[in-house]
């Protein structure tokens, strides 16, 4: 499975941005796709995840109510709609795949930078 994130950029506080994660390859073995972010000097943190087949979503408390993750089944593309952005949302956002029967996210795509100005 290959993952490619895109859609990052510079946005003012309170604005919106939509990230995309295009998946290709042997996606039949994917259980979850997750979004993670890493701010400068910080540890990587979980943002959200979606089950590949059922579309069930989970969010970190810090983004709940502001971010929405969705999946376009026809395109094998995942989206992260980010609204009411805050400067503390500034980070490199990456998508990753977790496979059936595995405990961790194992396949990572290259991240995309989101910068929220105050």
């Amino acid at each position: 499975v290959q993952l490619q994130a895109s859609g990052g950029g510079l946005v003012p506080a309170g604005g919106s941005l939509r990230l995309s994660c295009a998946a290709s390859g042997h996606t039949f073995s994917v259980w979850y796709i997750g979004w993670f972010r890493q701010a400068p000097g910080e540890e990587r943190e979980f943002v959200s995840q979606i089950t590949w087949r059922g579309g069930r979503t989970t969010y970190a408390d810090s983004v709940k109510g502001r971010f929405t993750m969705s999946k376009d089944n026809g395109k094998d593309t995942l989206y992260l709609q980010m609204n009411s952005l805050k400067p503390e949302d500034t980070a490199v956002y990456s998508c990753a795949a977790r496979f059936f029967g595995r405990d961790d996210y194992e396949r990572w795509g290259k991240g995309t930078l989101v910068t929220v100005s105050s």
Side-chain angles (χ1 to χ4, degrees), residues 20-94:
S20 300
C21 175
S24 60
H26 297 293
T27 57
F28 60 86
S29 60
V30 173
W31 191 9
Y32 289 94
I33 293 290
W35 281 102
F36 294 79
R37 66 186 182 186
Q38 187 167 21
E42 302 289 333
E43 296 287 321
R44 183 170 60 200
E45 66 171 345
F46 168 80
V47 174
S48 66
Q49 67 182 14
I50 191 168
T51 54
W52 181 257
R53 298 182 182 181
R56 182 167 53 91
T57 54
T58 307
Y59 299 94
D61 287 343
S62 59
V63 306
K64 201 172 292 183
R66 300 188 297 123
F67 291 11
T68 303
M69 189 173 182
S70 62
K71 179 176 179 285
D72 183 330
N73 292 317
K75 297 181 180 179
D76 281 352
T77 301
L78 297 306
Y79 301 101
L80 184 67
Q81 178 67 43
M82 306 186 295
N83 298 329
S84 302
L85 283 162
K86 305 175 182 179
E88 51 263 44
D89 294 318
T90 294
V92 173
Y93 285 70
S94 302

